[in-house]
Amino acid sequence: MFYSNLRNGGTILCYVLCLRPGVSLSKSVYQSPSTSLVKPNASVTLNCSHTIPSYDTVLWYKRSVEDTALNLIAYIYYKTPTVEPSYKGYFDVKGDGENDAFLHILKPRQAEDSGEYFCAVSLHSGTET
């Protein structure tokens, strides 16, 4: 959610990144911080950790204020980070998919980056061809 003052040509004042810690079917996935109030152009780092043996991938999703769909931002498979093409330059992901991952919001773009951020963990099941 973001707060703004757009009357008389005003601009976005600030916005809130809402995070959902511990939202999972088990108590083995943790996300922090739970809420963050961020000024535009201030970098932000979100953390996701898990204790599920053999799970090797951490995925980061965003649900924006105006769109209720979950959009994949980035993921880390073992130690290989991938940022989706439309988010490159705005987000970075680091860490280890077997334990924890960090999503860095490099330059928050005011309303475009406002919303809820979720992490999920997965066991990669793709087969190499």
Side-chain angles (χ1 to χ4, degrees):
M1 174 174 20
F2 65 93
Y3 302 95
S4 64
N5 178 6
L6 298 177
R7 290 187 183 154
N8 302 322
T11 59
I12 301 291
L13 298 176
C14 62
Y15 57 95
V16 176
L17 303 176
C18 299
L19 311 171
R20 297 285 183 166
V23 175
S24 72
L25 297 177
S26 70
K27 294 184 180 183
S28 302
V29 180
Y30 308 94
Q31 185 175 326
S32 65
S34 60
T35 304
S36 185
L37 177 63
V38 181
K39 293 181 181 181
N41 298 317
S43 66
V44 179
T45 300
L46 311 177
N47 175 263
C48 182
S49 61
H50 69 91
T51 57
I52 303 172
S54 75
Y55 275 41
D56 53 21
T57 306
V58 174
L59 304 103
W60 286 99
Y61 295 92
K62 177 186 145 195
R63 181 169 42 205
S64 64
V65 175
E66 60 278 339
D67 182 7
T68 59
L70 286 178
N71 297 297
L72 179 65
I73 299 169
Y75 61 92
I76 187 158
Y77 169 63
Y78 285 102
K79 291 185 168 106
T80 304
T82 302
V83 176
E84 293 297 300
S86 61
Y87 293 107
K88 286 187 178 181
Y90 299 104
F91 294 87
D92 188 27
V93 64
K94 295 194 184 316
D96 181 342
E98 292 183 294
N99 298 301
D100 56 23
F102 305 92
L103 180 70
H104 305 283
I105 305 172
L106 302 173
K107 297 176 186 174
R109 299 169 291 166
Q110 298 182 24
E112 295 98 308
D113 293 325
S114 296
E116 295 177 296
Y117 289 79
F118 301 86
C119 73
V121 300
S122 174
L123 172 62
H124 180 70
S125 60
T127 56
E128 301 294 323
T129 57

